[in-house]
Amino acid sequence: MAKKPEDSERPGRIKQLRMIAGIIKQANPKGMPIVYASALGTLVLFVVIGLVTGWWYLFVLGVMLALTVGLVVFGQLAQRAQYSMLHGQTGAAAAILQSMRGNWEVTPAVAVTRDQDIVHRVVGYPGIVLVSEGPGNRVQRMLVAEKKRVQRVALDVPVYDVQSGDGEGQIPLAKLQRHLMKLPRNLKKPAVYEINNRLKALPQTMPMPKGPLPRGAKMPRPKMR
């Protein structure tokens, strides 16, 4: 069977890890030494316990746990590096939202102003979540207007509004995913797709911002087996 063109262009697992390691090193020069130290420290701890107790199987267990700890720390540092790279960029919240795991339908930039204030729409188990980027005094009116617009086609669906940013009352990028995950589950899976399809029919009347939304913001995740 011939390989698809997109499969041949997709980087392999080792190459992905190297790319992420480079990003971590760029964001935090001490990042990779921390990964190595956490893995090595776990391994040394189990080796010492194995030598003292005579339980030799702890050596093998130590190797597996060392790899696990290293990958967990690696993933956390990769996520922090992603937030650091996106901070201050137009469309950063959309990139964070699109990297969420689970049944979330994200539509970036459903409302945009020439000042690059943006509202993104997310449909998930909580209902409809409108996430803004920009100063609070400006985006609040956008959120109210967009909330009225979506309620025309989703009357009985809960609509939440969230301001992302570093201002007072706003949710920082690093806490945005967690904030949405804490919202109550009001819908079932079929309703999520049905409501999202209805919302797609809404016209986008706002002008696009002056600068482009960040592309390729989602980082590949190392998978543990």
Side-chain angles (χ1 to χ4, degrees):
M1 182 182 295
K3 293 183 178 181
K4 295 180 181 180
E6 57 270 20
D7 292 338
S8 61
E9 294 177 0
R10 189 175 301 167
R13 185 69 52 80
I14 301 299
K15 190 173 181 180
Q16 285 184 347
L17 292 174
R18 287 177 178 173
M19 289 168 56
I20 300 174
I23 294 173
I24 293 175
K25 187 176 180 180
Q26 183 179 359
N28 180 9
K30 297 181 180 180
M32 291 310 298
I34 292 175
V35 174
Y36 302 141
S38 61
L40 183 60
T42 303
L43 178 59
V44 170
L45 175 63
F46 275 81
V47 169
V48 171
I49 295 175
L51 291 174
V52 172
T53 61
W55 296 343
W56 303 107
Y57 69 88
L58 289 179
F59 297 159
V60 179
L61 181 61
V63 172
M64 293 188 295
L65 284 178
L67 290 174
T68 302
V69 170
L71 282 174
V72 170
V73 176
F74 184 80
Q76 292 176 343
L77 291 174
Q79 191 174 51
R80 292 179 187 175
Q82 179 188 23
Y83 295 146
S84 176
M85 290 172 57
L86 292 174
H87 189 271
Q89 291 192 40
T90 303
I96 297 298
L97 294 170
Q98 289 175 321
S99 64
M100 291 180 65
R101 295 180 178 179
N103 191 33
W104 299 93
E105 301 290 335
V106 181
T107 306
V110 294
V112 187
T113 69
R114 297 189 182 278
D115 294 320
Q116 297 189 3
D117 299 332
I118 311 176
V119 173
H120 311 292
R121 186 178 65 231
V122 184
V123 183
Y125 291 122
I128 302 170
V129 187
L130 302 174
V131 181
S132 67
E133 296 184 39
N137 59 338
R138 293 203 309 243
V139 297
Q140 184 57 38
R141 288 181 296 177
M142 295 177 63
L143 289 170
V144 171
E146 188 61 25
K147 189 173 183 177
K148 292 179 179 178
R149 199 166 77 101
V150 300
Q151 285 177 331
R152 294 174 188 170
V153 295
L155 296 175
D156 300 326
V157 180
V159 181
Y160 302 89
D161 58 88
V162 177
Q163 291 190 15
S164 67
D166 299 321
E168 184 178 355
Q170 295 185 328
I171 308 298
L173 284 178
K175 298 181 179 180
L176 186 57
Q177 290 188 3
R178 192 184 313 165
H179 182 82
L180 266 65
M181 295 294 291
K182 288 182 179 179
L183 294 176
R185 297 167 69 92
N186 301 309
L187 302 179
K188 294 184 178 180
K189 190 173 183 178
V192 173
Y193 291 113
E194 192 270 332
I195 292 167
N196 188 58
N197 289 333
R198 273 194 278 164
L199 292 173
K200 284 181 178 179
L202 289 173
Q204 181 176 334
T205 57
M206 293 292 186
M208 289 302 294
K210 301 172 185 177
L213 296 177
R215 299 179 60 185
K218 290 191 286 185
M219 299 177 63
R221 295 190 184 95
K223 297 181 181 179
M224 289 188 295
R225 293 186 177 178

